Amino acid sequence: MKRTTQLLAGALAIAVVSSAVAVTTTYSLLNKGQAHANDFESEFQTASGMRTNLAGGTVAQPVDLTNAAESSLNSVVHIISVQRSKIQTIESQPDIFDFFFGNGTNRQQQIRTPEQKGFGSGVIISTDGYIVTNNHVIDGADEILVKLQDSRELKGRVIGADPTSDLALVKIEGDDFPAIMIGNSDDLKVGEWVLAVGNPFNLGSTVTAGVVSAKARNIDANQVESFIQTDAAINRGNSGGALVNVRGELVGINAMLVSPTGTYSGYGFAIPTSIMTKVVTDLKKYGTVQRALLGITGRPIGVESYPDEIRKAQKELGTNEGIEILEITDNSSVDGVLKVKDVIQEVAGQRIKTMGDLQGILAKYRPGDKINIKVWRDKATKSFTITLKNAQGTTKVVKNADMEILGAAFRPITDETKRELNLGYGIEVTGVEKGKMSDSGIRKGFIILKANGEQIKSVKDLETVMKQASQSPEQVLFLSGVYPSGKRANYAVDLSQE
């Protein structure tokens, strides 16, 4: 949450590992890119083009970056995420004396955790106070403080967060904030100069310069990623900060570094604005990202580190680039249209060479959008138009499920209940009204021990598992637990919403 993600393998090691393993993740993909960019402009009070006054419109070598730095510094904020002190119950294994003189069960101890503070960066994208940052910067925070360049410190509230893309949308109250100009990351060229603006090591506003080293980079850090790779220095605290071009326009959100030491050693990675604008617009409009699934597992063609048998089989396909389809999910976007061993070569008019290409293009789109795909099949190119679907196999808007739909109240079980029922954890249903839980037959007094296989030790645990389940294809929350009488029970709670 509080620090830039550290990947303990070097960049070369990650490249080797990533390419040696056949990619079998079902990739999240989406449609209607330019139209959804207009959605972003209608949802946020974006900055006027008059803020940037860079002499000339060309990118030259050498290049003056002072105007870009000046126009972006005021838009980048320092985010302090606070986790308050809490009392937590920890379990330890029984010692030899417990076996002989006790009941042989795990021992429990209550401890008070100290208050913790994490530091990161954020970017003001709307004059009325909307800020983009990384999900890991604010994840788990009880309080968010936002410090502006002019030293004002304001409270922030989370509008929405998307762990899948590691983006979050935060709001501060007020007007006329210095919003950054939003650029088009698709227009970036490898070798183009960029600035990384943020608050590394809690030092305050800092600018570093470098070039775009690569685009559409996939490093197996998030489920949806098509990173801009840059050699502009990115360190701890830069997370959520701005990657800007020479015109001072935001082209990426700095997210992580790859380093054997945990500090900058050559490369950093930013989430492109082509993905960012779609994600934060969805978070503001719907509370959750409207993400479609192509519904395939696949792997890139022609990776040198593949085993010989895979390389031989791919050579027989008769093409040197694209994504080979290994499996197609039932009722997915391409079910009945594409086939196993098809090679996806073009999506929405753009060539596909890597999974990063595929995700970067299609992460701009929503379920229900139609998209053109060209594949290589039987040594010939074939074109198809498909309608993208969500994880539930429909084109409906996915709503963000909250605890209210359960129609129940909860509290952690008391120490007395733990002793009586010999339990180490659990939360008790203290009341049931009209809602998903009553529909499932759950009664007052039920003690939830597990939800979808996860131990439930707090109400927050249940909320986390429930939100994950609401976004899954099944949209079901499986609960197991016990009543005060000692009777065990299991329930399936339907989380689907009309």
Side-chain angles (χ1 to χ4, degrees):
M1 164 188 118
K2 298 168 277 290
R3 305 185 307 181
T4 304
T5 302
Q6 300 177 27
L7 300 181
L8 298 181
L12 178 59
I14 285 181
V16 170
V17 172
S18 299
S19 60
V21 179
V23 181
T24 56
T25 304
T26 299
Y27 287 90
S28 301
L29 310 167
L30 303 158
N31 204 9
K32 208 176 285 176
Q34 191 57 45
H36 296 324
N38 295 334
D39 283 354
F40 173 79
E41 294 176 3
S42 67
E43 286 295 323
F44 297 98
Q45 298 176 22
T46 54
S48 166
M50 297 300 293
R51 281 192 60 223
T52 302
N53 184 24
L54 189 64
T58 60
V59 179
Q61 301 281 351
V63 62
D64 182 0
L65 300 173
T66 56
N67 287 333
E70 183 178 355
S71 67
S72 57
L73 269 171
N74 288 332
S75 301
V76 178
V77 300
H78 191 188
I79 293 181
I80 302 100
S81 56
V82 181
Q83 287 185 333
R84 300 190 187 98
S85 174
K86 297 181 178 69
I87 295 177
Q88 292 185 343
T89 300
I90 61 173
E91 294 186 5
S92 60
Q93 295 294 324
D95 60 25
I96 189 67
F97 296 103
D98 287 318
F99 280 110
F100 285 103
F101 303 107
N103 58 11
T105 59
N106 290 353
R107 291 188 294 176
Q108 295 181 354
Q109 180 183 2
Q110 286 190 332
I111 62 170
R112 178 175 288 277
T113 60
E115 180 179 272
Q116 299 182 47
K117 288 186 178 180
F119 304 93
S121 305
V123 186
I124 302 173
I125 59 166
S126 181
T127 58
D128 56 345
Y130 284 95
I131 296 169
V132 176
T133 186
N134 288 137
N135 174 70
H136 73 261
V137 171
I138 54 85
D139 187 30
D142 299 306
E143 183 180 5
I144 295 172
L145 301 175
V146 177
K147 190 172 184 179
L148 277 64
Q149 179 74 359
D150 60 11
S151 297
R152 280 184 293 168
E153 193 170 285
L154 304 173
K155 285 191 175 182
R157 59 186 175 92
V158 177
I159 301 300
D162 180 41
T164 300
S165 61
D166 195 23
L167 288 169
L169 184 64
V170 173
K171 179 74 166 64
I172 53 177
E173 296 307 318
D175 295 300
D176 201 26
F177 290 107
I180 199 167
M181 288 288 297
I182 308 297
N184 186 353
S185 58
D186 289 343
D187 292 339
L188 279 177
K189 306 293 184 183
V190 173
E192 182 175 338
W193 280 95
V194 286
L195 296 177
V197 187
N199 296 274
F201 302 118
N202 203 23
L203 291 173
S205 298
T206 300
V207 175
T208 59
V211 298
V212 175
S213 305
K215 294 179 63 177
R217 187 70 87 194
N218 187 312
I219 58 174
D220 294 335
N222 299 329
Q223 290 174 293
V224 173
E225 56 182 46
S226 183
F227 290 115
I228 301 166
Q229 180 180 317
T230 176
D231 64 355
I234 294 175
N235 278 295
R236 298 177 187 177
N238 272 113
S239 284
L243 189 74
V244 301
N245 61 20
V246 295
R247 291 174 292 280
E249 298 168 338
L250 181 71
V251 290
I253 300 296
N254 299 324
M256 62 186 62
L257 56 94
V258 171
S259 167
T261 63
T263 56
Y264 175 75
S265 62
Y267 298 109
F269 297 89
I271 302 164
T273 53
S274 59
I275 293 177
M276 181 275 289
T277 53
K278 161 66 172 52
V279 169
V280 298
T281 302
D282 281 359
L283 291 176
K284 185 172 184 286
K285 289 181 69 173
Y286 308 109
T288 189
V289 178
Q290 302 303 305
R291 183 169 284 118
L293 298 178
L294 199 60
I296 67 165
T297 58
R299 62 188 170 204
I301 293 288
V303 177
E304 291 185 2
S305 56
Y306 282 164
D308 289 342
E309 60 269 22
I310 293 178
R311 297 184 64 190
K312 181 180 179 181
Q314 288 191 336
K315 189 174 182 179
E316 292 174 354
L317 295 173
T319 183
N320 295 322
E321 66 179 31
I323 300 298
E324 177 192 3
I325 297 177
L326 302 177
E327 185 180 353
I328 295 175
T329 306
D330 291 342
N331 198 33
S332 68
S333 304
V334 298
D335 186 22
V337 180
L338 301 188
K339 298 179 179 180
V340 171
K341 292 192 178 299
D342 281 352
V343 179
I344 299 174
Q345 294 190 317
E346 188 173 299
V347 175
Q350 298 186 54
R351 299 293 294 177
I352 301 296
K353 296 182 180 180
T354 66
M355 285 297 183
D357 291 333
L358 197 57
Q359 292 184 17
I361 294 169
L362 298 175
K364 308 170 189 176
Y365 307 121
R366 295 192 179 114
D369 293 339
K370 294 184 183 299
I371 193 163
N372 295 319
I373 293 184
K374 288 185 179 181
V375 300
W376 181 260
R377 178 188 296 175
D378 299 329
K379 295 183 170 57
T381 299
K382 298 184 182 297
S383 299
F384 301 94
T385 299
I386 64 168
T387 300
L388 291 167
K389 298 179 181 179
N390 56 30
Q392 290 75 44
T394 73
T395 59
K396 295 180 180 179
V397 170
V398 176
K399 298 180 180 179
N400 189 27
D402 54 35
M403 294 291 279
E404 292 183 3
I405 72 168
L406 298 180
F410 311 92
R411 70 177 180 193
I413 57 175
T414 63
D415 291 338
E416 182 180 356
T417 300
K418 290 179 182 178
R419 288 193 298 269
E420 289 177 352
L421 298 177
N422 194 27
L423 300 174
Y425 58 88
I427 64 171
E428 179 184 358
V429 178
T430 58
V432 179
E433 298 179 350
K434 184 177 180 181
K436 298 293 186 179
M437 282 200 158
S438 63
D439 293 344
S440 302
I442 296 174
R443 305 190 307 276
K444 178 181 177 181
F446 180 58
I447 298 170
I448 301 171
L449 299 177
K450 289 188 176 182
N452 286 4
E454 300 290 332
Q455 292 183 351
I456 302 301
K457 299 181 179 180
S458 66
V459 178
K460 182 69 174 177
D461 290 344
L462 178 63
E463 183 178 11
T464 299
V465 175
M466 186 210 65
K467 287 187 175 182
Q468 292 173 346
S470 71
Q471 303 295 314
S472 70
E474 296 81 13
Q475 292 186 289
V476 176
L477 187 66
F478 294 102
L479 301 178
S480 60
V482 62
Y483 281 95
S485 63
K487 180 183 177 181
R488 297 273 173 172
N490 297 285
Y491 297 97
V493 182
D494 179 13
L495 299 177
S496 62
Q497 302 178 71
E498 293 300 326

